[in-house]
Amino acid sequence: KRRNLVELDGTLPPKTPVISSSVTLTVSEQASLLRHPQRLVGIGALPSFLEGGLIEFAFSAVTDEAVVKAADQFARDLGKEPAHVQDSVGLVLPRIVCMLVNEAYFALTENVALPDDIDTAMKLGTNYPFGPVEWAERIGVRQVLTVIMALHRTLGEDRYRAAPMLQKAAALAEYSSQKSVASSQRIEKR
């Protein structure tokens, strides 16, 4: 990511906005790598999040107002509503969804319910389009774990520690294209 940002910064004209995922690194951290930090915009981009009607943007203290307007117009051109959030790891939607997933994996670790039952409870009980286990599979368990670990590293709070089964599922995903909870449960029972 760092190499790509530096390459874009050196290649693109100085006033061209650069949009970068700021789910695990803040816009400010990324902007510090650039000669033209005023053009950087953070986006809450995780797989499947951009399918909805919202694009979450974060800006550093030095982001140029013209870049903010260009980012908003970009979102509208895609038929999406732009939302501005603070420059923090995880932003809003990725942070909260990944925390729900992590909590679901704690529930799985503690045998509170089966994956399908957790998903059904959350979908029917909260009107969410997906249950947390489904979210993990759509986003990718490794990506969820990366967000959780970034939150824990940045904020240092125990509530952001990764569930053991989430860690195992992410490790399993490294070696297998199947990222299902059922596979991680088979490992857990051994």
Side-chain angles (χ1 to χ4, degrees):
K1 178 174 198 142
R2 286 176 165 85
R3 185 185 60 204
N4 291 341
L5 281 173
V6 169
E7 185 176 330
L8 283 171
D9 191 44
T11 305
L12 296 172
K15 294 198 181 270
T16 301
V18 174
I19 297 176
S20 177
S21 175
S22 55
V23 176
T24 59
L25 287 173
T26 66
V27 178
S28 298
E29 289 172 304
Q30 294 177 65
S32 71
L33 305 169
L34 306 180
R35 288 184 321 203
H36 307 287
Q38 69 279 2
R39 66 153 128 205
L40 189 64
V41 176
I43 186 171
L46 284 176
S48 80
F49 283 2
L50 296 177
E51 295 170 8
L54 172 84
I55 295 183
E56 217 175 308
F57 292 124
F59 310 97
S60 75
V62 299
T63 303
D64 188 80
E65 187 60 34
V67 172
V68 173
K69 289 178 182 176
D72 288 346
Q73 189 58 53
F74 172 71
R76 288 188 195 96
D77 288 348
L78 294 174
K80 302 188 183 296
E81 183 67 29
H84 296 185
V85 300
Q86 293 298 313
D87 181 23
S88 62
V89 170
L91 303 179
V92 175
L93 182 59
R95 175 184 186 152
I96 292 172
V97 169
C98 288
M99 288 299 293
L100 287 170
V101 170
N102 194 47
E103 187 57 35
Y105 274 79
F106 271 118
L108 288 169
T109 301
E110 297 161 6
N111 294 314
V112 172
L114 295 173
D116 289 345
D117 296 326
I118 290 172
D119 282 344
T120 298
M122 292 303 293
K123 286 191 296 191
L124 297 179
T126 63
N127 248 355
Y128 288 167
F130 305 104
V133 178
E134 290 172 319
W135 272 118
E137 291 174 352
R138 290 176 62 85
I139 297 166
V141 291
R142 288 180 294 181
Q143 185 65 44
V144 172
L145 179 62
T146 301
V147 171
I148 296 298
M149 290 171 58
L151 286 164
H152 190 261
R153 179 189 70 245
T154 303
L155 302 171
E157 296 179 28
D158 194 47
R159 67 183 171 142
Y160 297 113
R161 73 182 173 85
M165 189 173 286
L166 179 63
Q167 294 175 40
K168 289 179 182 180
L172 177 64
E174 286 288 329
Y175 303 105
S176 169
S177 61
Q178 182 181 9
K179 301 173 187 158
S180 72
V181 173
S183 296
S184 64
Q185 285 182 324
R186 284 195 292 275
I187 288 175
E188 186 71 24
K189 291 180 180 179
R190 289 185 186 161

